[in-house]
Amino acid sequence: MLRAMATKTLVFALVVGCPTLASAAPEWCKPMAGKKSDYFNPEVMTNEEDARKATQAIVGGICNPWDAADTPKAEEAKKKWSALLDMNDQDWLGAAHYWANYDQYADPPEPTKKGYAGLDPLDQYVLLSTYSRVSPDGHYVADAMSPLSEVGRIGYAIWCARNEVAKDAHLAACLHDVAAADIKKASAEIRADKTHEPKIGYMARTFWWNHKKMMESMKAEAEKLKKQDEAYVKMFDIADKTWKSWEANEGKRAKLLAFMGEMDNMRESGSRKAQQGCEDKAVPFLREGAASVPADRFAAVLAVESKLEVSRIVSQALATTPEGYLGSAAYVTCMLPGMDVNGPGSYLVQRLGNALLRWPGYRGPRSAVIADIMQAGLVPDQRDKEITYPSLARDIFGDSHALMNNDPSKSGIGVISGVKTGGKMATISFNKTKATYSVCVDYRPGTKITGIMANGQFERASTCYKYKQVSDMVAIEPVQADGRFVSGLKPGQFSVSINYIPWASWAPNGKAVATALGVAVK
């Protein structure tokens, strides 16, 4: 201790201020020139618990040592950490840059541009590894960045390890990337980068190492769960199948995913110019999404007593397939900025948005894993166990408290007598006779989660045990409807049209929905 103090005193006396870069220091030490280095601890350098502290001590011991005897120890430790973190001298330049400019109160680094799609590898890492900036959540953001780079995967794995670790479905969604996260795979991307400060790559390496044990514990937890109950085995099997299915079908969704990427970037950038003309592109994707949903997903509308609930049921059903979810999400994202919540057309946007607020959905394979597990209805054998899910609140899709005004003059429920098209609006006429339809009066919810309401309450697939027949004069006057959503309507169908949108139609007393959003479904 006395030797170290005497040495420090001597150094200060010689340089009359901060020590300069040691004359024998390597080239990568240049950022440390003129920087005071008062941190050196041989024990920290060899301790594998904290890569940040270890490499900080190594930088100090090599670039600006207080004592010449420190340097050989630091050089030896550098060899060890170079192997553990896959660092060469170019990477150590990043370490020197980081500690030369270190400020514990500084804000985290920012990506070089707004949005998710099209970010370079290090921008992906910067955004995903900084939890406070990952909005609405890491699963969605990682999916929206597709294809995820190797260093971006490290950022996502770090986010996974730090958040919702106790949630079973969160673990299943993360495991694919957590298992694959490897700094050696990311090194080429880090070294090829010419846009970011050198310290970003160093941060990725050390943060990866410092979260490595947490990632290992996630993999161990998965194996532990599998041994506890067959339901968990099925959960991870679903995750594997979802990944394979997504990768197999990603090509056919390329245009839809590209447009969704444009919409995400438009929202994040706040660009009015990027929003211009998006409605004309979004509507076909929404219609195609509705057509992709199997008719049985809409079955609950047939027996619900209050037909005004049909819009909620249809919106939730749309979000249960990749095309339906992405079509809905793209349309809402396009329409929401600057929308008058009480204006024409706002009901469709708000109703779809409410179905997306808390639903994991299908932005990509990670969020799809959670949605597929929810819809599988898995129940562990042990009564004190249940599959748990991460809490989501994606306010990017609207306000759960927004008004959704139903104007009766723009709504009609009854048997269609005719549909007249022309221009932007169509006219739906109804038979002026009583309509008879079934209503469920005794249903019991099952285990499959089909939607999450804006208040967080799960909607579950249910079985009806008792019906009653209702005969009512439900519609008399014709109603107007958005002409883009009437192509599948036919005379004789029982139709529910709310605020310009024919949400669903089916044959009177029929057992399957014929149209959703006016589009024919199968």
Side-chain angles (χ1 to χ4, degrees):
M1 179 64 74
L2 290 174
R3 181 188 67 81
M5 291 177 63
T7 304
K8 291 182 181 181
T9 303
L10 177 61
V11 172
F12 274 117
L14 289 172
V15 300
V16 194
C18 295
T20 58
L21 190 66
S23 59
E27 187 75 12
W28 62 263
C29 280
K30 274 189 175 180
M32 292 295 293
K35 301 289 183 179
K36 183 173 182 291
S37 177
D38 58 359
Y39 188 88
F40 180 79
N41 186 329
E43 293 181 4
V44 169
M45 287 194 305
T46 56
N47 189 331
E48 296 183 8
E49 290 296 316
D50 193 328
R52 243 171 115 256
K53 288 183 178 179
T55 50
Q56 178 189 13
I58 291 169
V59 169
I62 295 176
C63 298
N64 281 323
W66 290 110
D67 191 315
D70 297 341
T71 302
K73 300 172 186 175
E75 289 284 5
E76 192 63 31
K78 176 176 175 283
K79 291 179 184 177
K80 173 183 177 179
W81 280 103
S82 293
L84 293 176
L85 300 177
D86 195 40
M87 292 177 70
N88 60 22
D89 279 0
Q90 177 185 338
D91 305 315
W92 281 100
L93 174 67
H97 183 267
Y98 180 86
W99 290 112
N101 300 280
Y102 179 66
D103 178 1
Q104 64 177 321
Y105 302 109
D107 291 331
E110 293 268 8
T112 57
K113 64 180 182 179
K114 299 286 186 182
Y116 305 146
L119 292 184
D120 66 42
L122 266 66
D123 272 345
Q124 289 187 353
Y125 166 78
V126 166
L127 187 56
L128 281 165
S129 65
T130 309
Y131 176 72
S132 61
R133 295 207 176 114
V134 177
S135 175
D137 60 76
H139 302 304
Y140 185 101
V141 175
D143 283 340
M145 287 178 176
S146 182
L148 196 61
S149 65
E150 292 298 335
V151 72
R153 190 191 310 278
I154 284 173
Y156 174 65
I158 290 171
W159 180 87
C160 282
R162 295 172 65 186
N163 302 282
E164 299 274 18
V165 175
K167 303 296 185 183
D168 304 328
H170 169 83
L171 176 59
C174 288
L175 203 58
H176 179 93
D177 292 292
V178 166
D182 188 335
I183 201 63
K184 290 185 178 181
K185 296 177 183 177
S187 286
E189 294 173 347
I190 293 173
R191 290 167 189 157
D193 179 78
K194 306 297 181 186
T195 303
H196 300 80
E197 295 177 308
K199 68 178 183 180
I200 303 299
Y202 164 75
M203 292 171 67
R205 294 176 190 278
T206 54
F207 280 33
W208 166 77
W209 181 269
N210 285 3
H211 289 85
K212 193 177 177 185
K213 280 191 176 180
M214 297 171 72
M215 296 177 202
E216 293 296 332
S217 70
M218 291 178 75
K219 290 184 273 188
E221 178 64 17
E223 294 305 314
K224 178 182 174 183
L225 287 172
K226 289 178 185 179
K227 293 176 183 178
Q228 286 182 3
D229 199 289
E230 182 66 21
Y232 294 114
V233 175
K234 292 178 180 178
M235 181 181 78
F236 290 109
D237 283 346
I238 289 170
D240 290 340
K241 290 176 182 176
T242 296
W243 265 97
K244 290 175 183 176
S245 174
W246 188 273
E247 290 172 345
N249 290 284
E250 195 167 15
K252 75 175 186 179
R253 299 179 187 132
K255 291 182 180 179
L256 175 55
L257 289 166
F259 180 65
M260 188 69 237
E262 291 177 22
M263 292 299 92
D264 278 328
N265 285 3
M266 176 273 290
R267 181 194 61 244
E268 294 300 309
S269 68
S271 170
R272 288 188 174 91
K273 192 174 291 185
Q275 189 183 12
Q276 291 177 0
C278 69
E279 184 177 1
D280 290 340
K281 298 177 183 178
V283 169
F285 285 122
L286 177 58
R287 287 171 47 81
E288 290 168 13
S292 78
V293 182
D296 60 1
R297 302 280 179 98
F298 303 106
V301 306
L302 300 173
V304 68
E305 185 162 8
S306 172
K307 294 308 178 187
L308 295 179
E309 289 294 298
V310 166
S311 61
R312 175 182 59 79
I313 295 168
V314 169
S315 297
Q316 289 176 341
L318 286 172
T320 62
T321 70
E323 287 76 15
Y325 177 87
L326 290 165
S328 297
Y331 182 76
V332 171
T333 305
C334 164
M335 300 297 292
L336 197 59
M339 184 188 73
D340 178 2
V341 295
N342 294 308
S346 64
Y347 186 87
L348 174 61
V349 177
Q350 292 177 78
R351 182 51 87 187
L352 293 174
N354 264 352
L356 303 174
L357 281 173
R358 296 182 180 275
W359 183 245
Y362 292 88
R363 186 59 186 88
R366 300 158 189 86
S367 47
V369 164
I370 303 175
D372 283 352
I373 292 170
M374 280 184 159
Q375 293 181 82
L378 300 177
V379 179
D381 181 59
Q382 295 298 313
R383 293 184 183 275
D384 61 341
K385 300 289 184 182
E386 65 176 352
I387 305 295
T388 55
Y389 305 97
S391 300
L392 301 174
R394 292 176 176 159
D395 57 3
I396 58 172
F397 294 124
D399 181 358
S400 62
H401 302 292
L403 295 175
M404 288 187 290
N405 295 323
N406 171 36
D407 185 342
S409 68
K410 301 165 188 170
S411 305
I413 302 172
V415 177
I416 298 173
S417 61
V419 180
K420 183 179 180 181
T421 59
K424 292 183 177 180
M425 302 302 291
T427 301
I428 303 174
S429 300
F430 299 95
N431 291 334
K432 297 181 181 179
T433 59
K434 288 185 177 181
T436 301
Y437 53 93
S438 299
V439 168
C440 181
V441 292
D442 181 15
Y443 68 91
R444 298 170 197 176
T447 58
K448 296 181 179 180
I449 300 170
T450 57
I452 306 177
M453 297 178 69
N455 63 5
Q457 181 180 347
F458 287 164
E459 292 277 333
R460 298 181 185 271
S462 59
T463 302
C464 186
Y465 289 90
K466 185 178 180 181
Y467 293 88
K468 72 174 182 180
Q469 295 299 108
V470 173
S471 184
D472 195 7
M473 183 75 79
V474 287
I476 298 177
E477 299 300 325
V479 295
Q480 284 192 310
D482 188 321
R484 299 170 298 182
F485 298 101
V486 299
S487 61
L489 299 182
K490 296 184 180 353
Q493 292 174 339
F494 184 92
S495 173
V496 177
S497 182
I498 303 173
N499 280 38
Y500 300 114
I501 301 297
W503 288 89
S505 68
W506 58 93
N509 295 321
K511 296 183 178 180
V513 167
T515 70
L517 298 187
V519 179
V521 297
K522 297 179 182 180

